[in-house]
Amino acid sequence: MTLLETLVRGAGYIASYAALGVILMIIGFYVIDLAIPGKLSQIIKTDRNPNATLLTTSGLAAVGLIVTASIWSSGGALLDGLAQTAVFGLVGIAVQTVAMLVFDRIVGISVRELVKEPELQPGTRLLAVTHLAIGLITAVAVI
């Protein structure tokens, strides 16, 4: 294989994984949107709500960790790696959603209530770290 062929193949792999990563992050965004009252993009962009912003960014960072670990562990097999990344990314999003529901029910920290607050809340920080921890746990499990 020539250098040009290697570069073209590598660029195709990068574009494929990047596209899948963006799709998973968009799915993650809309799952978070379903968990809160109102339209998430408006709450972040117009209302400038720090609680919604932190919960969303931590959730998306966790998805990014899972996608990265899936790519790392794919071993260079593009189709297998894309399938693995898609499945593990969706599992990570599902686990984060369940964790939010568990915190809401068991611990009593409601995402719906947090995003109604105009100032950053301690519960938001806790849930944000939980998102990142779940992302790391899932990412390491993939590897």
Side-chain angles (χ1 to χ4, degrees), residues 29-30 32-49 52-53 56 112 115:
F29 181 89
Y30 282 108
I32 295 167
D33 191 16
L34 291 173
I36 65 166
K39 187 171 177 163
L40 183 56
S41 58
Q42 179 179 343
I43 293 169
I44 292 171
K45 184 178 177 183
T46 306
D47 300 345
R48 303 176 63 86
N49 183 290
T53 303
T56 304
R112 292 183 168 275
V115 298

Side-chain angles (χ1 to χ4, degrees), residues 34-84:
L34 291 173
I36 65 166
K39 187 171 177 163
L40 183 56
S41 58
Q42 179 179 343
I43 293 169
I44 292 171
K45 184 178 177 183
T46 306
D47 300 345
R48 303 176 63 86
N49 183 290
N51 297 296
T53 303
L54 183 56
L55 290 171
T56 304
T57 55
S58 63
L60 295 180
V63 171
L65 289 168
I66 296 163
V67 169
T68 302
S70 297
I71 294 167
W72 178 265
S73 67
S74 69
L78 181 62
L79 293 180
D80 289 345
L82 290 171
Q84 179 178 324

Side-chain angles (χ1 to χ4, degrees), residues 74-133:
S74 69
L78 181 62
L79 293 180
D80 289 345
L82 290 171
Q84 179 178 324
T85 300
V87 169
F88 293 152
L90 292 171
V91 167
I93 292 167
V95 170
Q96 289 178 13
T97 304
V98 169
M100 282 196 307
L101 294 173
V102 167
F103 268 84
D104 190 0
R105 299 283 190 251
I106 295 175
V107 180
I109 299 174
S110 171
V111 171
R112 292 183 168 275
E113 294 302 316
L114 287 173
V115 298
K116 291 178 183 176
E117 296 293 329
E119 304 219 0
L120 190 59
Q121 299 297 306
T124 302
R125 292 181 183 103
L126 175 64
L127 288 178
V129 170
T130 302
H131 279 170
L132 292 174

